[in-house]
Amino acid sequence: MLKGVNRNVIVVHGDKSSRFEAVYMIMKKGTGASETDILREANRLVAESGMTVKRRLPPWLLIGLGALGGALAASVLWLIVVL
């Protein structure tokens, strides 16, 4: 809970590829920081957090690759047994 009324709250909303929905920055009055300084600092904090978007393969592709790998293994085993 935010107490007091002498604070400025800056909200930086993330995009669809971001893990952050929004970043809230609470600043004291009288800091003399401009809006561009605040946005630059918010972007720096998000960039330094080390959070990256990890892309996962779709499940249908994983099932297909598993089936293909199984068929390949069965084919190799069949060739070893026949020859």
Side-chain angles (χ1 to χ4, degrees):
M1 167 116 0
L2 181 64
K3 293 184 179 179
V5 292
N6 292 332
R7 308 256 185 226
N8 291 330
V9 178
I10 293 91
V11 180
V12 180
H13 294 282
D15 57 0
K16 291 187 179 199
S17 66
S18 175
R19 287 189 179 214
F20 298 104
E21 184 174 331
V23 175
Y24 293 89
M25 297 183 72
I26 302 170
M27 298 192 53
K28 295 179 184 177
K29 282 196 173 212
T31 58
S34 68
E35 184 176 336
T36 55
D37 292 336
I38 295 167
L39 289 175
R40 189 178 311 125
E41 181 68 12
N43 288 328
R44 184 188 67 80
L45 290 172
V46 170
E48 287 183 2
S49 69
M51 306 248 342
T52 57
V53 177
K54 295 182 181 179
R55 306 258 184 230
R56 293 181 58 190
L57 294 175
W60 60 268
L61 183 60
L62 293 175
I63 292 171
L65 288 174
L68 187 63
L72 180 64
S75 299
V76 169
L77 183 62
W78 178 77
L79 283 174
I80 291 172
V81 170
V82 169
L83 298 178

